[in-house]
Amino acid sequence: MRLILTFFKAYPTQSIITLVAMLFAGIAEGIGLSMLLPLLGVVIKTTSGGESLAGYTQSNLERYVIGFFHTIGLSPTIGVLMTFFVGGIVLTALLSLLANKKVGYMVAQVATDLRLALIRALFATRWEYYVHQPIGMYTNAFATEANRSADAYLYGIRVIALLLRATVYAGVALLMAWKETLIALGAGFFILFILRRLVTKAKKAGQRQTNLLNSLLALLTDTLQSIKPLKAMAREDMADLVLQKETNKLNRVLRKQVFSKEALKALQEPLITIFFAFGLYVAMIWWQIPLATVITMAFMLVKIIKTLQNAQKEHQTMVIAESAYWSLVSKIQENERAHEELGGTMAPIFDDAIRLDKVSFSYGDKPVLQNISLDFPRGTFSAIIGPSGAGKTTIVDLITGLLSPQSGRVWLDDLDLAAVDLRAWRRMIGYVPQETLLLHDSVHMNVTLGDAKFSAREVEDALRAAGAWAFIAEMADGINTVVGERGSRLSGGQRQRITIARALVHKPKLLILDEATSALDPASEAAICATLRQLRGTLTILAISHQTAILDAADRAYRLEGRCVHVIDKDVAARGEVGSSGAPA
Ligand code: ADP
Ligand code: MG
C-alpha cells in the first residue's frame, strides 16, 4: 500500500481523476444492479397475475427503488427498470473506459519519468562515485525495473478500482439483506486470509527476481565487455558457467512466481464454491428464504467475493513487480546523494596558466599525489610521463574538476578552480581518452556526436587539424562513411585522429590527451605528435603518456613518480638521457 500512496503523491491530479472516474463507474454499476431485485419482483408479480408469490417478501432495497421511482413520477414497470439497468451498465462501461485510458497513459508516464530521473541523477553524480557503478545494473534499472515499476503502478490502481467496486456491491447487497451480506463478506475475507501466504510468497520471489536481475545484468555487461581475452584463452565457458548458474536461479524464481499465481487462482475457485454450496443449503433448507431472493442475493454475493478475489490476484501481481520500483528509486536516491558539487559561480578565465599548487590527493586512504606543484602556461604543449599507476590520470581529473584535491589548490589564472563554474570550464576543454570509442555511425556523427550546431565546414576543419582529413577524403563516402569499433577498416591511429577531431570541433582552449597515443605504433604516434606540435600556440596541450616518445614533441615535460613530480630538462632529454632536476615535491 506504501507503493500506491507513493504513486498518489507523485501524480495527485491524475490519480484523483482516475479514482473519481472509477468511483462513478462503480456507482453507476451499483444503480444498474439495484434494478435487478425490483425487476425480479415485478416479473414475478406480473407472471403470477398480480399476486405476490407465496413467501416472497420485498427487501428494503426493493422498497427504496420503487419508492424512488414514485417520487420522480415514474411507475416502476419492467420497461423502466430494464432501461435503468441497461443504462447503468452502459454508463459503467463508458466511465471505466475513461479511467482505464487514463491509467494506461499514466503507466507509460511513470516508466518514462523514472527513466529520466535515473539518467539525470546518474549523470550528475561525483566522478569518484560514478566510476564505481556497475553499468549492467543501470541498464537493468532503465529497461526492466522501469517497466516493472509501471506494472506495479498499473496493478496497484486495479486493486483500488476493484476494492471500490466491491464496496459498492457490498452497499447494494447490504440494502437487500444485511445479515447475509455480512456473513458473505466475512467468508470472503476469510478466504483472502487463508490464501494470503501465496501473496507473500510471490512477493519474496519478486524481490529475488529484482536482486538477481541486477547482479546478472552487471555480470553480463562486464563479461561482454571483456569477451576477447576470455575467448582467446578459451575461458569463456567459465563466464558461461557463472552466467548459466545465475540465469537458472532466475528461472527458479520465475517458476515460484508462476506457481504462487496459479495456486492462488486454482484455490480461489473451489473455496468460493464450497462456501456457496454451504450458504445456499443454509439459506434454502434452514432459513427457508424464497428462491427469488436467494438467486438475486447469490448473484450479488458471488460478485462481491469474486471482486475481492480479483483484487487479491492483482495485488499479488503488484507485489511481484513492486520490489523493482523500490530498487529503482533507491538507485535514484543514492545517485542524488552522490550529487557532484559543480564548484562555484565564477566564469572561468584561462589567459595565463593552469597551476597545481602543493596539491595532495588520495583515493580513500590511498595517497596518490603528495604536495605536487605544476604549471601549464597558456599556448604551450606540456607532457607528463610516468609509469602506470603514478597518478597521471588523477592530475587530469583534478584539472577538469572531476576530482578535487584534499589539500592544495588548482588555479585557473587567478581563480581557485573550486570557485569556478565547473561546467563552463569543462566546455573549454577537449578531452581524448586512451580508449577510442567510435560510434557505429558516420565520421561526421563521430565528430559532432549528434550536435547539429556544427557545420560540415567546421567538421572538416577539425578533421584537418587532427590530421585526419587526408585519409577521410580518400574514402568513398568521405565524412559520411560509416565507421565503428567493429569491422571498421580504420587503423588505431586513424580512429584516434577522429577522436582528436571530436575534441577539437568544440574549439577548446585546453586539449588533454590521456594516453591517447599509448596504444599506437611508433609511426602513428609520431604522426599524431607532429599534429599536436602544429596545434600548440593556438591551443594549450597537455599530453600524458607512460612512453617517452611524446617528450620530443612537447615544449615542457614532467615526470611523475613515487607521488612526486620532476621537471624534465628538455635539452638533456634530447640527448637521450632523461634527467630530472629536483622540483618542488
Ligand atoms: P595513471 O594514470 O598514472 O596510470 P591513475 O591516476 O589512474 O594512474 O591512478 C593512480 C593510482 O590511484 C593507481 O594506483 C590507481 O590504482 C589508484 N586509483 C585510480 N583511480 C582510483 C579510484 N577511483 N579509486 C581508488 N583508487 C584509484
Ligand atoms: Mg591513466
Side-chain angles (χ1 to χ4, degrees), residues 71-223:
T71 342
I72 59 167
L74 275 175
S75 90
T77 58
I78 295 185
V80 169
L81 288 168
M82 209 56 124
T83 311
F84 269 77
F85 172 65
V86 172
I89 302 301
V90 169
L91 194 58
T92 310
L94 286 177
L95 287 166
S96 299
L97 175 69
L98 180 75
N100 289 339
K101 192 185 79 175
K102 200 110 209 133
V103 170
Y105 287 171
M106 277 177 67
V107 167
Q109 194 59 48
V110 166
T112 309
D113 289 352
L114 285 170
R115 287 190 174 116
L116 293 180
L118 180 71
I119 300 178
R120 245 182 258 128
L122 180 63
F123 282 176
T125 55
R126 272 181 285 119
W127 183 243
E128 279 173 273
Y129 173 86
Y130 180 88
V131 289
H132 289 118
Q133 296 306 303
I135 299 174
M137 236 155 86
Y138 284 89
T139 326
N140 176 43
F142 194 80
T144 48
E145 286 184 351
N147 257 347
R148 289 177 69 212
S149 302
D151 274 354
Y153 171 76
L154 173 66
Y155 289 103
I157 285 278
R158 284 197 192 158
V159 171
I160 296 190
L162 287 167
L163 290 180
L164 273 178
R165 218 163 246 217
T167 313
V168 172
Y169 294 158
V172 175
L174 279 169
L175 288 176
M176 282 160 77
W178 64 272
K179 258 184 282 170
E180 290 80 350
T181 307
L182 285 184
I183 294 171
L185 279 176
F189 282 114
F190 182 64
I191 296 178
L192 296 189
F193 181 76
I194 300 178
L195 298 175
R196 84 196 182 288
R197 275 186 59 101
L198 290 171
V199 176
T200 333
K201 259 199 157 80
K203 182 175 184 162
K204 278 202 191 120
Q207 178 74 54
R208 289 269 299 142
Q209 181 189 2
T210 304
N211 296 343
L212 273 171
L213 277 174
N214 269 326
S215 59
L216 188 60
L217 264 288
L219 185 68
L220 179 70
T221 317
D222 287 350
T223 310

Side-chain angles (χ1 to χ4, degrees), residues 127-128 131-132 363-364 366-368 386-395 514-515 544 560:
W127 183 243
E128 279 173 273
V131 289
H132 289 118
Y363 291 103
K366 183 181 183 238
V368 177
S388 64
K392 302 181 298 297
T393 299
T394 308
I395 289 184
D514 189 355
E515 309 263 15
I544 279 174
L560 193 64

Side-chain angles (χ1 to χ4, degrees), residues 161-443:
L162 287 167
L163 290 180
L164 273 178
R165 218 163 246 217
T167 313
V168 172
Y169 294 158
V172 175
L174 279 169
L175 288 176
M176 282 160 77
W178 64 272
K179 258 184 282 170
E180 290 80 350
T181 307
L182 285 184
I183 294 171
L185 279 176
F189 282 114
F190 182 64
I191 296 178
L192 296 189
F193 181 76
I194 300 178
L195 298 175
R196 84 196 182 288
R197 275 186 59 101
L198 290 171
V199 176
T200 333
K201 259 199 157 80
K203 182 175 184 162
K204 278 202 191 120
Q207 178 74 54
R208 289 269 299 142
Q209 181 189 2
T210 304
N211 296 343
L212 273 171
L213 277 174
N214 269 326
S215 59
L216 188 60
L217 264 288
L219 185 68
L220 179 70
T221 317
D222 287 350
T223 310
L224 291 183
Q225 276 172 345
S226 57
I227 195 74
K228 183 156 187 195
L230 291 180
K231 272 190 99 76
M233 296 185 284
R235 301 287 156 83
E236 68 268 29
D237 47 350
M238 296 300 295
D240 186 40
L241 213 66
V242 182
L243 282 170
Q244 258 184 43
K245 216 173 106 195
E246 293 290 301
T247 312
N248 282 328
K249 270 193 212 160
L250 185 64
N251 188 36
R252 281 197 291 280
V253 169
L254 293 177
R255 274 171 184 238
K256 272 191 193 149
Q257 290 176 12
V258 172
F259 177 78
S260 305
K261 279 177 135 179
E262 291 306 322
L264 185 65
K265 259 196 254 167
L267 290 176
Q268 280 182 342
E269 207 55 47
L271 282 174
I272 195 175
T273 313
I274 293 171
F275 164 73
F276 267 102
F278 182 70
L280 280 179
Y281 186 84
V282 172
M284 293 199 302
I285 311 293
W286 288 1
W287 295 346
Q288 309 242 318
I289 296 175
L291 185 65
T293 316
V294 169
I295 289 175
T296 15
M297 275 307 293
F299 174 75
M300 279 313 292
L301 297 185
V302 168
K303 244 178 146 39
I304 295 175
I305 295 188
K306 281 243 165 208
T307 311
L308 286 177
Q309 289 187 331
N310 277 337
Q312 190 177 35
K313 263 194 280 188
E314 306 283 33
H315 182 233
Q316 189 188 41
T317 315
M318 180 191 97
V319 297
I320 288 177
E322 185 183 354
S323 53
Y325 174 75
W326 299 118
S327 165
L328 178 49
V329 165
S330 82
K331 280 194 196 86
I332 295 175
Q333 286 171 347
E334 202 185 300
N335 278 302
E336 279 168 353
R337 276 195 296 277
H339 191 273
E340 179 184 28
E341 298 299 333
L342 280 172
T345 50
M346 307 288 284
I349 302 167
F350 177 34
D351 289 331
D352 181 21
I354 301 163
R355 278 185 288 268
L356 267 68
D357 183 17
K358 301 204 183 75
V359 163
S360 299
F361 184 85
S362 39
Y363 291 103
D365 50 10
K366 183 181 183 238
V368 177
L369 303 174
Q370 231 162 38
N371 219 20
I372 298 256
S373 297
L374 291 169
D375 62 326
F376 307 102
R378 183 173 165 192
T380 57
F381 176 179
S382 311
I384 300 179
I385 59 161
S388 64
K392 302 181 298 297
T393 299
T394 308
I395 289 184
V396 168
D397 292 348
L398 287 165
I399 291 173
T400 54
L402 287 173
L403 299 175
S404 42
Q406 275 100 17
S407 74
R409 273 159 212 251
V410 180
W411 293 100
L412 194 60
D413 284 8
D414 304 326
L415 291 176
D416 185 343
L417 195 60
V420 167
D421 174 357
L422 281 181
R423 282 183 57 79
W425 166 228
R426 288 177 194 159
R427 272 192 223 109
M428 295 162 74
I429 296 175
Y431 177 79
V432 186
Q434 176 168 10
E435 326 75 56
T436 53
L437 266 180
L438 292 191
L439 312 171
H440 189 83
D441 211 316
S442 65
V443 172

